[in-house]
Amino acid sequence: MLGILLARVEAGVIAYFFQWRVVYYVSIGVQLVVLCGIYLLVPDQPPKNHGLTYFDIFYTMTKYAVTEPRLIQAVFINIASIACWSNFWVTLTFFLGGPPYNYPTLYVGLFGFIGVVGVLAGPLFRRLSHQYGPWWSLVAATFCLLLLQSVETAAAGINIAVVVIFCIGLNAFRQSQTVSLQTIVFGQVFCCWTHE
């Protein structure tokens, strides 16, 4: 999430001082640098699973649907949550660029920094997840996200403070969901309950 938010800041600054197309040119350049870095830094290793076809990989993934119910639950929760998160950050540009705010792309891009504040709350939510258990942390984060969505839908056009609070809360509680789901999926659930 941090990379996506910082990319918004970069895109907003570039689009403000140059044409919006320059954002894509810079993106192509960054992708080429990353590709060269991967080529130079990632070691070339032979495959360890000879004879494993693409369809065998799909079969293995399908097997998880039956053998790992926590994983499937986490996937569905994550799909819904990331859809809401992406929906907000994509439409924020149009919302802040139009009436009643009419902000330039620089200000809209700088809202990514506000979202970073929520993402940086991850270690705090990790501690809360261990203290109360990941299931309750997940339920609380989901409830808070639903409450924030209601407030944002009702009052975002009234004052910019609502949008700022929603940016921070959305990213913070989304981060809490991610931490809780990772704890549940990777089987650390029982570690949290045995330390009480």
Side-chain angles (χ1 to χ4, degrees), residues 27-80:
S27 176
I28 291 169
V30 169
Q31 291 292 329
L32 289 174
V33 168
V34 168
L35 183 64
C36 291
I38 289 173
Y39 180 77
L40 295 173
L41 297 175
V42 176
D44 187 21
Q45 295 186 357
K48 295 179 182 178
N49 43 8
H50 294 287
L52 185 65
T53 66
Y54 195 63
F55 293 108
D56 291 339
I57 295 171
F58 275 128
Y59 173 73
T60 305
M61 290 170 44
T62 307
K63 195 166 58 173
Y64 284 136
V66 178
T67 60
E68 300 293 334
R70 287 183 188 165
L71 179 63
I72 299 305
Q73 289 173 351
V75 166
F76 285 131
I77 292 170
N78 237 345
I79 287 172

Side-chain angles (χ1 to χ4, degrees), residues 111-133:
F111 264 80
F113 281 134
I114 296 171
V116 168
V117 172
V119 172
L120 295 179
L124 170 69
F125 288 117
R126 180 70 174 176
R127 191 171 306 143
L128 289 174
S129 179
H130 278 296
Q131 185 176 358
Y132 297 109

Side-chain angles (χ1 to χ4, degrees), residues 3 46 51 53 96 103 105 160 180 185 196:
T53 66
L96 293 178
Y103 287 160
T105 57
I160 195 64
S180 298
V185 167
E196 295 177 348

Side-chain angles (χ1 to χ4, degrees), residues 118 145 148 164-174:
L145 281 171
L148 276 171
V164 171
I165 291 169
F166 183 75
C167 283
I168 294 170
L170 175 69
N171 290 295
F173 293 120
R174 173 76 184 102

